[in-house]
Amino acid sequence: MENMTQATNGPFSVPPKKGKRLWWLKLPKDFFTTNSVIKKMRKMPGGDTYVVVTLKILLLALDHQDFRIYYEGVEDTFVKDIALKLDETEESVAGALKVLIKQGWIVQEDEETLRSVKTEEMAGSESDSASRMRLKRERDKELALTAPSQCDSNVTPALQKSDSREEKRRKEKSRTEIEEMLEGKELSGLVPEAFMEGKEKASPALPDVQQYAEASHFYAVSPDDFYGMFSSQDWTDDGKDITDWRVLYLTLEGLARAEGGEDA
């Protein structure tokens, strides 16, 4: 990491993003429990933070389709530049990068370029047009479920009122997308870092969650849905306190992107 501590002189050239595609990381469900690099990080001082920073670095490499992170010269060192983008401390970024470079997840090509080998392995994508078509199909399906039938105008007021009550009950029974995604999964086993014993239970405010989602470029899981679901559970799940809501959100975002993706 020594050659990353000082910026070089001269103009900085950052390749433009190619085309219009949506990208995500296909995160294996046992990523946190069987991956040797992640397990090694967790045993280090500040390891939980390193894991969060690692996932944010992997996501950052999706900004360019060559899976590289470029020094843009906003700060006077590459590490500070990355830390600013991720809204993390310089020490956390430097510590995580040291492990990732040593383990071959990140390759430092020169003083101004990092290539994320791991991001390239885990990346999934769909074209912008495919994304629009997918959203259109979802909207059409929703409209088909809620649109009134042609004979509705002939239904008596009493039956209409009965249908209205039934629709209300149906909506009340409907589950959030997060609940559907987690069906059959045990959160504490899926994300043990979010349920660490001896740590204080999380209690973020909605603006905290919204700001974190915006800074992390999350789009697959709504911050309002995330906050609404877990705040209603008093930040517990299956009787266990949630101690790190950020790593929990990060994991759910990865799962949602992986499950919702379609190749063009």
Side-chain angles (χ1 to χ4, degrees), residues 147-157 159-160 163:
S149 65
Q150 293 181 351
C151 63
D152 279 353
S153 58
N154 298 323
V155 177
T156 64
L159 287 177
Q160 287 179 338
D163 288 344

Side-chain angles (χ1 to χ4, degrees), residues 48-49 52 191 193-196 199-202 241-249:
D48 290 342
T49 300
V52 173
V191 201
E193 293 82 1
F195 298 86
M196 302 297 288
K199 290 192 175 183
E200 185 178 353
K201 183 169 69 173
D241 289 345
I242 297 171
T243 57
D244 192 333
W245 63 269
R246 290 180 178 84
V247 74
L248 177 60
Y249 197 157

Side-chain angles (χ1 to χ4, degrees), residues 10-184:
F12 302 98
S13 177
V14 178
K17 298 179 181 179
K18 302 176 184 178
K20 289 186 177 181
R21 294 190 70 84
L22 302 176
W23 292 84
W24 57 84
L25 289 182
K26 296 181 287 186
L27 198 67
K29 66 179 182 179
D30 58 354
F31 182 78
F32 294 99
T33 56
T34 63
N35 190 287
S36 58
V37 175
I38 296 299
K39 292 174 71 174
K40 177 182 176 66
M41 274 189 177
R42 291 185 58 209
K43 293 180 180 180
M44 301 170 61
D48 290 342
T49 300
Y50 287 174
V51 170
V52 173
V53 172
T54 291
L55 291 173
K56 294 175 79 170
I57 288 174
L58 298 182
L59 287 172
L60 182 63
L62 292 175
D63 281 355
H64 301 286
Q65 292 180 27
D66 57 4
F67 308 109
R68 286 170 171 81
I69 300 171
Y70 295 92
Y71 176 46
E72 297 181 1
V74 178
E75 295 286 353
D76 58 1
T77 70
F78 202 170
V79 171
K80 287 183 180 179
D81 208 63
I82 295 173
L84 180 65
K85 292 177 183 177
L86 302 184
D87 194 24
E88 298 288 348
T89 66
E90 179 184 357
E91 293 75 15
S92 298
V93 172
L97 281 174
K98 184 176 180 179
V99 176
L100 297 176
I101 290 174
K102 183 177 180 180
Q103 297 298 325
W105 284 27
I106 298 287
V107 174
Q108 185 176 351
E109 297 184 332
D110 54 49
E111 293 184 351
E112 298 177 5
T113 310
L114 297 174
R115 179 168 65 92
S116 177
V117 177
K118 198 65 176 177
T119 297
E120 189 169 0
E121 291 178 2
M122 300 169 61
S125 71
E126 68 177 354
S127 67
D128 188 49
S129 59
S131 174
R132 290 196 298 270
M133 287 302 297
R134 175 169 53 82
L135 292 174
K136 182 179 184 301
R137 288 195 297 270
E138 292 173 355
R139 288 195 297 268
D140 290 345
K141 183 178 179 181
E142 183 177 350
L143 287 174
L145 292 173
T146 58
S149 65
Q150 293 181 351
C151 63
D152 279 353
S153 58
N154 298 323
V155 177
T156 64
L159 287 177
Q160 287 179 338
K161 187 174 182 180
S162 175
D163 288 344
S164 177
R165 288 197 297 267
E166 180 62 28
E167 176 69 10
K168 183 178 180 181
R169 283 195 295 269
R170 186 186 67 80
K171 289 182 177 180
E172 288 174 348
K173 291 180 180 179
S174 68
R175 297 174 297 174
T176 68
E177 291 183 1
I178 298 177
E179 289 173 322
E180 292 178 354
M181 181 175 64
L182 293 177
E183 185 175 10

